[in-house]
Every structure is written in structure tokens, then in C-alpha cells.
Amino acid sequence: MDLVEDAALDFVPFVHVAPRRNSITPEKQRRFIATLAATGIVSQAALSIGASVEALYKLRHRSGAEGFAAAWDAAVERGYSRLEDCALERAIAGEVRPVVSRGKVVATWTHHNTGLLMFLLRGRRPEKYGAVKLADLREGHPVYEALKAKWAAEREAEDMARTEEVRESLHARLLAMRDEVLASRALGQAQALPQVQDDASTGSA
């Protein structure tokens, strides 16, 4: 069991007025809290001091044991955090598993539990990885704000695309109009050329 810092044991234990041989003494209470903070498992912490879980719960609810009860809650929370850290490390680093052939280990491979990883991420960062209820999607909610920013960016991109499309359409129309004008001028010049030649021929005669 890893040791916990003294802060976890900084509580006022319950003191029995007339302690018996099997009473849970202040020293045992501190040992229980230390083990609980390290493991997060009440039964294991109870076993470490030789007390039953029922006796510890009775002590927890006695008048004057408020400090012990608060330390118990803090130790459970700390134990869960330590277990989460271990599970996250295991999910990321993976678990080495053997490859057995004919009763012998011939190789090993690393199994990465992505399901466990996503479970931990949803628990630690529900705003990013957790399922969001529609009722929770309101202004100020991280998911709401992220979606709003995404939609605004998409709308801006669509507006820019439409603007560019209109610009290209106008440019194409202007080019078509220019080509029509140039073609009309060229046609007019071609039609006027024979008349000029006829006038020149008449003058020379």
C-alpha cells in the first residue's frame, strides 16, 4: 500500500468514553483512513485494522464521529482518484497478454482497452466526451458554445462561397457582353468594307 500524506490523517478521531478490547481506537481509525485513501476499498481498509465493516459504519454514524466520517468521505474520493489514475495508465500503456501455443507462451502482445479509456474520459471530461442531454444545451454550456461557433463558421464559409459564386457569375456575364460587343463591331466593320470598296471603284472610273 502506498503511503498517504499526513493531510489525509488530519482529523479528530472518535474517542470511546469506556473503550473495550475490540474498540476502534483513534490509531485504528487513522490506519483505516490511510488504507481507504490508498485503495478506495472499505472492506480492505477494515481488514487492515481487524474490524468489521458493520462496526465501522456504526462508528461513522455516532455522535462525535463527524471528523472520522468527513475523513472517510475524503479518503473514498481520494481512493477513487487513485484507481482512476491507475486505470487510465493501464488503458494508455496497455496490458501485456501472452500468446500460447501447445501449452507454451510463444509471444506476447499489448492490449489497449479503448472502451476503458473512453469511459474514463467521459467521466473526467463529460463536457467534451460525455453524452449531452438536449435539456442541457443552453447558452453558456461548453457544448452549446462549441456548436454555435461551429455553425457560425460554417455559415460564414457558405456566405463567402455564395459571394464568390456571384462575383464569378458577374465576371462571366461581363466577359460575355464584351465578346458580344466585339463581335458586333467586327461584323459591322466586315459589312461596311464592300461598300467602301465599291465607292472607291466608282470614283476611279
Side-chain angles (χ1 to χ4, degrees), residues 36-37 40 71-84:
L36 186 59
W72 183 324
D73 292 337
V76 168
E77 183 63 30
R78 179 173 303 193
Y80 283 156
S81 296
R82 290 164 68 88
L83 290 175
E84 286 180 359

Side-chain angles (χ1 to χ4, degrees), residues 86-167:
C86 293
L88 184 60
E89 181 181 359
R90 180 176 177 181
I92 294 174
E95 178 186 4
V96 178
R97 295 186 177 182
V99 178
V100 180
S101 176
R102 296 181 180 180
K104 294 183 179 180
V105 177
V106 296
T108 59
W109 65 285
T110 303
H111 170 68
H112 294 277
N113 195 332
T114 54
L116 174 62
L117 181 60
M118 288 306 302
F119 174 80
L120 293 170
L121 288 174
R122 282 193 294 268
R124 291 196 174 191
R125 297 189 178 183
E127 72 283 354
K128 186 173 183 179
Y129 299 102
V132 181
K133 298 179 181 178
L134 291 178
D136 296 334
L137 285 178
R138 59 177 61 92
E139 192 168 356
H141 192 283
V143 175
Y144 177 91
E145 297 299 331
L147 289 174
K148 186 170 72 172
K150 179 182 178 181
W151 292 336
E154 291 177 352
R155 195 162 51 244
E156 182 179 358
E158 291 176 357
D159 292 342
M160 291 181 62
R162 281 196 294 268
T163 301
E164 185 64 25
E165 183 179 352
V166 171
R167 184 182 296 112

Side-chain angles (χ1 to χ4, degrees), residues 46-62:
L47 184 63
S48 70
I49 63 171
S52 67
V53 174
E54 293 78 8
L56 284 160
Y57 272 104
K58 285 182 181 179
L59 175 63
R60 171 188 172 93
H61 291 97
R62 293 189 63 169

